[in-house]
């Protein structure tokens, strides 16, 4: 199993339904960026992080209660879930200038 794989289970799978707000947020991101792909990452008790990469290279994220809910939300939103961070997906990402500046400030502050 690859690191960050969406098949990694959280300690307690809720088996619940994906919240409509989460599905709407994913749909909105995909619509605003010419489509999107997602990578689901397990983040412990907090649940799962859905990293969305738009076709235009812009990326964002959403959080779900667990990986099952995250996968279900992506399916309802019509967004393809990648199993891991493949090179092609990483090459597609284009961080904004604001993000580069914020990362530089964090590095310089250490």
């Amino acid at each position: 199993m690859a690191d960050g794989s969406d098949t990694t289970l959280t300690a307690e799978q809720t088996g619940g339904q994906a919240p409509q707000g989460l599905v709407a947020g994913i749909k909105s991101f995909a619509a605003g960026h010419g489509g999107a792909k997602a990578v689901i990452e397990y983040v412990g008790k907090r649940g799962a992080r859905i990293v969305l990469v738009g076709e235009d290279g812009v990326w964002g994220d959403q959080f779900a209660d667990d990986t099952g809910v995250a996968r279900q939300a992506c399916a309802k939103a019509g967004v393809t879930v990648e199993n891991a961070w493949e090179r092609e997906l990483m090459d597609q990402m284009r961080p904004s200038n604001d993000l580069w500046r914020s990362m530089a400030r964090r590095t310089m502050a250490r």
Side-chain angles (χ1 to χ4, degrees):
M1 190 176 321
D3 290 340
S5 172
D6 66 335
T7 57
T8 305
L9 299 176
T10 56
E12 295 178 24
Q13 288 283 337
T14 62
Q17 295 292 321
Q20 287 302 324
L22 178 60
V23 175
I26 295 169
K27 279 183 183 179
S28 175
F29 181 89
H33 299 284
K37 292 181 182 175
V39 176
I40 299 172
E41 300 174 333
Y42 171 69
V43 290
K45 289 184 179 181
R46 186 164 183 196
R49 178 182 184 204
I50 306 167
V51 181
L52 300 162
V53 180
E55 291 299 319
D56 60 357
V58 175
W59 61 278
D61 60 0
Q62 299 276 334
F63 281 88
D65 292 338
D66 60 45
T67 56
V69 170
R71 179 177 279 285
Q72 184 182 69
C74 289
K76 285 184 176 182
V79 171
T80 303
V81 176
E82 299 289 327
N83 285 325
W85 284 105
E86 299 294 335
R87 182 181 186 136
E88 293 81 16
L89 187 59
M90 299 269 310
D91 287 345
Q92 184 178 336
M93 293 177 78
R94 300 286 176 246
S96 69
N97 288 335
D98 291 337
L99 180 61
W100 284 117
R101 279 191 288 275
S102 73
M103 288 189 293
R105 281 192 298 269
R106 278 186 240 145
T107 302
M108 301 297 271
R110 290 184 195 178

